[in-house]
Amino acid sequence: MMKKKSISTSRASLVFFLCQMISALDVPLDLSQPPTITQQSPKDYIVDPRENIVIQCEAKGKPPPSFSWTRNGTHFDIDKDAQVTMKPNSGTLVINIMNGGKAEAYEGVYQCTARNERGAAISNNIIIRPSRSPLWTKEKLEPNQVREGDSLVLHCRPPVGLPPPIIFWMDNAFQRLPQSERVSQGLNGDLYFSNVQPEDTREDYICYARFNHTQTIQQKQPISVKVFSMDSLNDTIAANLSDTDIYGAKPVTERQPVLLTPTGSTSTKVELRGNVLLLECIAAGLPTPVIRWIKEGGELPANRTFFENFKKTLKIIDVSEADSGNYKCIARNTLGSAHHVISVTVKAAPYWITAPRNLVLSPGEHGTLICRANGNPKPSISWLANGVPIAIAPEDPSRRVDGDTIIFSHVQERSSSVYQCNASNEYGYLLSNAFVNVLAEPPRILTPANKLYQVIADSPALLNCAYFGSPKPEIEWFKGVKGSILRDSEYVFHDNGTLEIPVAQKDSTGTYTCVARNELGKTQNEVRLEVKDPTMIIKQPEYKVIQRYGQVSFECIIKHDSTLVPMVIWLKDNDELPDDERFLVGKDNLTIMNVTDKDDGTYTCIVNTTLDSVSASAVLTVVARPNPPFDLELTGQLERSIELSWIPGDENNSPITNFVIEYEDGLHEPGVWHYQTEVPGTQTTVQLKLSPYVNYSFRVIAVNEIGRSQPSEPSEQYLTKSANPDENPSNVQGIGSEPDNLVITWESLKGFQSNGPGLQYKVSWRQKDVDDEWTSVIVANVSKYIVSGTPTFVPYEIKVQALNDLGYAPEPSEVIGHSGEDLPMVAPGNVQVYVINSTLAKVNWDPVPLKTVRGHLQGYKVYYWKVQSLSRRSRRHVEKKILTFRGNKTFGMLPGLEPYSSYKLNVRVVNGKGEGPASPDKVFKTPEGVPSSPSFLKITNPTLDSLTLEWGSPTHPNGVLTSYILKFQPINNTHELGPLVEIRIPANESSLILKNLNYSTRYKFYFHAQTSVGSGNQITEEAVTIMDEAMASRQVDIATQGWFIGLMCAVALLILILLIVCFIRRNKGGKYPVKEKEDAHADPEIQPMKEDDGTFGEYSDAEDHKPLKKGSRTPSDRTVKKEDSDDSLVDYGEGVNGQFNEDGSFIGQYSGKKEKEPAEGNESSEAPSPVNAMNSFV
């Protein structure tokens, strides 16, 4: 026999399913069995007196049972009452009230009996009571007149109904009265005021009672409450007392707490096990007391304790005997505390430990019925047989009663019967029916054949094998049709025949066979198991923080078994999504558009299949700028300070970091708000410093990470008293606008700085270093005063003092100013010029006496200009240049001069008014320098052995030209440079014919001018001599041939294409082989020489040093023009012309600009002839 295992606590989740399986062990209805009650009305049955009364009693049995009723312990003959009928094939009674019957006539205790030939089952005692909703008794209600701060209780005293009514308080407009820590409703329905306030005055406090069974609401007469404030009492008393009498009504007095309910210091409370325990404490006091609950000698039970009605009610659900004990409520305010101890005892109506269960035995077997119950007090157990106390029931030799157990031995078919167990104590009773059915039946399997079970992998699989047989069959399981018997190493076998696979895997899929056998026979059944892949959320929604009006999306990407169809459901806070078009549910996401505050919450993605369900949640936090603070209050008003407090608005899920306080001066700048201060976000009060004579209003702005809130509503206004000014005007200055005046200016005080009405200024001045008295004048609220008739540019001591109608500000500090300036009187003397080089000179001068400056010395200006060039080339116009030297300087540098020129200069002193007279002009000359490059170089008239060179003199000779230097060298077809030849040419020449040159040879020319100082920049050019006549003749003959003409056309087309490509590349910034050409044809003076013969060395990289072969970019006359090389003064002077250091030296390194070689364009501009083109391909 296989070993069976009961359901373990570790598999508690399967209990419900297995309990359903147990019902399969019941006797099939086609077999004889005693009655079983299947449905009955509740023990305490409150009915609506306006509707028919239905008392349920349903039972099953074989043969079908018959039904009878008792009422109040005696037989109830329903045939004699026309209002009572019994449903067919049922024991349910229907009492017809709607056709004239009265519910009150049918109150009583009813019990149903279901009987057949094998026994009788009985129902519970069912107490029938019609509900009642009586009216309030009429009563005369006196108005309640209460002094402010006193406590008050408004009694409801609802009529006694069945069941008890639900109580609530409303006004005449059917609006619920607001409740708070100060005002609240007790469990008995009364309305309690811990202390009354003037706003509690009203005439429509109405208590309502709602009776749910009859769906009626009864109303008490309105109660009037009149609260007398201390101010009104004082006014009343003052009208009847003299000025010397002391008022009899004292201000509102604060009081320590006193409990209104329950009364006294202790009380008791009895509650039944499993019920809800409600304990209440309501206290009077001013300030309003706060309630706190503790359990003496223990802790309040976690997860079952709740506080209601502003912590005045302690609620503990599902109480047990362990919750018995002393519970203390403590009411506390700033003046003291009060407490009350409630001793709680938890009793228990009977509850089952082991209820008797149906017993099916075969003839000759043994069995027991067990009935065990508990309660407080301990319940008594009694047995009945077929509804009759077992002591007076017919005897059965096979049974024996032993307290809570009936023992059966060697039962026979006549032993079949129904037994009732009754467990009762003073708080209630339990009644349970259990039959003994004696049968002899071969096994039968009740589970349908070939039933398919589908489970998820790694979860339990429960394969049902519901069976019946008497004696009880043994169950065996096999996997497959011819598989071996399953053992309990991997399986769990339950008493009801169910096979449990604790962790089903994919290989658990298959067919399983259940075999049931007893001594009367054997039967079997097959079931199938399929194991599916679990559904998983592979991309879960994530926590999101979003600003208000933004867009947010939650992902929920799933993976599931291909044979299962998933259904995705989104919930918000465990409820359906709002019916809002802003919520867009996609295939694997949820998107919320235009997010608002109400979208804040937890969003859950639930994926359901027919076999499993998975879910994942994420929290959405909607953040926004905080709501503005409110309830601004000013307290502690003093002359120079005040305390401001406020209540923060909702921070909108982003903590408030700080509060900004602003103020408005309604007296001087109404409507303009100024920054006052700011405090941390945890602070809601601030002490503010005030200025006199300001009508203050304040507002507060809350700030969080998202931004600033809207400003709060302004506080009440507070006007500070006037006072002397605390400060004097700032930025006092004295500057003359004319030589004979002194303009005194200052920054006026702002309105709130005036400290009082009548703001004026006392302006005082006296000449410095002169024994004069102060001259003073009082002016209106202006910011300037002009003193006339002053000497020119003398120092003055100046002070400006504020005053108002209440007096003067503190003594102001003195400042030094000056009367107006005039133009300087004298020019600098002893001007000397030292020429340093051809482009730089230094000028020195003696400073002028400070008295003659007649103002603030700003510096000196040097005017200089070129008179003429000593090379007899005059400038087109005379352009004076100016250099300014700040401060009391006595020298300066003149950069950017032209060599070999004559200059003039003069020096002037400068003050705030302008320039003084100029010093006498000083003449100086610059020495010679190196010339610029020749203005052009043309090569014309090429022959077999000669070339003609023409050139222009340098644009800037910078001295007397002594000669020209011409260097040239041939370039062969491999771009190698030949020997260099140098020729010196007299300075008065402008052309030269070079003879004895090689025919058909390219030459590179280098040309520059010289003065006695040295050589100037060179220009370069290339040219080609022509071929000899014989070769030219042959080539002319060739050129007359048709094939040669075609070849040359193709070559010309190719050259044209190459030229276009090069032109495009250069215009696009591409590389143009200028550097190659210059590298190949560089200045021969810097080329390396061969060691042996002194000839010029070859370039190592022929590719990088090819001469240019493309057309020249020079003008058509072969001239090469150089830009002017004049040094600019822009980099040297200050102001218009230059800038110098403190010592007068030029800022930055001065160096002459060296002429650059032409980058390109020095090659011959002639288009290559066919002959030359041929030579280039040789």
Side-chain angles (χ1 to χ4, degrees), residues 279-297:
L279 304 179
E280 179 180 59
C281 274
I282 301 178
L286 185 67
T288 302
V290 176
I291 305 297
R292 187 167 65 93
W293 291 89
I294 62 173
K295 183 180 182 183
E296 293 182 343

Side-chain angles (χ1 to χ4, degrees), residues 826-1124:
V826 300
N830 193 24
V831 178
Q832 300 292 329
V833 180
Y834 303 95
V835 177
I836 296 176
N837 56 40
S838 61
T839 61
L840 181 66
K842 179 180 180 181
V843 57
N844 290 5
W845 62 86
D846 291 340
V848 300
L850 290 179
K851 290 185 177 180
T852 66
V853 177
R854 299 200 294 181
H856 296 285
L857 175 64
Q858 294 186 354
Y860 292 87
K861 285 187 178 180
V862 176
Y863 287 74
Y864 66 101
W865 62 95
K866 180 179 174 182
V867 178
Q868 67 175 2
S869 172
L870 297 181
S871 58
R872 299 180 182 179
R873 293 187 181 182
S874 300
R875 297 178 64 88
R876 296 181 181 177
H877 63 279
V878 176
E879 179 183 356
K880 288 188 177 182
K881 299 180 180 179
I882 306 171
L883 289 178
T884 301
F885 300 91
R886 294 288 181 188
N888 194 18
K889 305 301 178 188
T890 59
F891 68 93
M893 307 298 291
L894 305 181
L897 303 177
E898 293 186 14
Y900 204 54
S901 299
S902 176
Y903 281 88
K904 285 185 179 182
L905 66 76
N906 58 55
V907 184
R908 310 177 192 194
V909 66
V910 182
N911 66 10
K913 189 72 173 179
E915 301 175 1
S919 66
D921 291 347
K922 191 74 175 179
V923 179
F924 67 96
K925 298 178 180 179
T926 55
E928 289 186 82
V930 296
S932 63
S933 61
S935 57
F936 67 89
L937 175 63
K938 293 193 300 184
I939 303 176
T940 59
N941 302 323
T943 65
L944 289 174
D945 61 352
S946 68
L947 292 170
T948 300
L949 278 68
E950 298 178 359
W951 60 87
S953 60
T955 305
H956 301 286
N958 295 336
V960 178
L961 297 180
T962 57
S963 62
Y964 292 101
I965 301 299
L966 173 66
K967 299 177 183 179
F968 63 94
Q969 59 189 148
I971 305 172
N972 63 19
N973 290 336
T974 60
H975 312 297
E976 296 176 342
L977 298 174
L980 184 69
V981 179
E982 180 177 325
I983 301 175
R984 183 177 296 274
I985 304 171
N988 58 353
E989 297 290 338
S990 62
S991 65
L992 176 68
I993 299 175
L994 286 178
K995 298 182 179 180
N996 298 321
L997 301 176
N998 296 328
Y999 69 89
S1000 187
T1001 301
R1002 180 177 294 276
Y1003 286 90
K1004 172 101 178 203
F1005 297 93
Y1006 312 91
F1007 193 70
H1008 61 263
Q1010 284 187 333
T1011 64
S1012 60
V1013 176
S1015 300
N1017 294 328
Q1018 68 180 10
I1019 59 174
T1020 62
E1021 182 60 275
E1022 294 183 12
V1024 181
T1025 57
I1026 65 175
M1027 294 183 174
D1028 62 58
E1029 294 178 357
M1031 183 175 295
S1033 168
R1034 290 195 300 270
Q1035 290 178 351
V1036 167
D1037 293 339
I1038 294 173
T1040 60
Q1041 303 300 315
W1043 64 270
F1044 183 74
I1045 294 174
L1047 177 63
M1048 289 300 101
C1049 289
V1051 170
L1053 179 61
L1054 178 62
I1055 293 174
L1056 178 61
I1057 292 173
L1058 292 175
L1059 289 174
I1060 292 174
V1061 171
C1062 291
F1063 178 76
I1064 293 174
R1065 287 183 59 197
R1066 183 170 58 196
N1067 284 350
K1068 289 184 177 180
K1071 180 178 178 182
Y1072 189 75
V1074 174
K1075 185 176 185 304
E1076 296 177 5
K1077 173 183 173 182
E1078 291 185 348
D1079 290 345
H1081 307 159
D1083 190 338
E1085 292 183 355
I1086 63 173
Q1087 296 185 34
M1089 301 291 292
K1090 291 185 179 180
E1091 294 180 359
D1092 297 334
D1093 56 6
T1095 60
F1096 291 97
E1098 297 179 354
Y1099 283 89
S1100 61
D1101 189 346
E1103 181 66 23
D1104 290 341
H1105 300 89
K1106 295 179 182 178
L1108 292 176
K1109 292 185 179 182
K1110 297 178 176 58
S1112 173
R1113 296 179 62 192
T1114 59
S1116 59
D1117 61 356
R1118 293 192 178 193
T1119 60
V1120 180
K1121 296 185 178 181
K1122 304 290 289 183
E1123 295 183 359
D1124 293 344

Side-chain angles (χ1 to χ4, degrees), residues 1-4 443 445 463-467 472-481 483-488 491-500 511-518 521-527:
M1 177 184 288
M2 287 187 297
K3 182 180 178 182
K4 303 291 192 296
I445 294 178
L463 308 183
N464 188 19
C465 182
Y467 65 90
K472 184 179 179 181
E474 293 182 1
I475 302 298
E476 293 177 328
W477 281 92
F478 301 84
K479 185 175 182 183
V481 178
S484 60
I485 187 171
L486 300 180
R487 302 298 179 185
D488 59 356
Y491 305 93
V492 178
F493 304 96
H494 294 283
D495 290 338
N496 63 359
T498 298
L499 170 66
E500 178 185 350
T511 301
Y512 291 80
T513 302
C514 166
V515 178
R517 61 165 57 90
N518 68 8
K522 168 187 171 183
T523 187
Q524 68 180 41
N525 187 31
E526 292 181 358
V527 295

Side-chain angles (χ1 to χ4, degrees), residues 788-807:
S788 303
T790 63
T792 302
F793 196 68
V794 295
Y796 278 86
E797 293 176 316
I798 303 167
K799 58 184 180 180
V800 180
Q801 186 178 24
L803 68 150
N804 62 19
D805 291 350
L806 278 76

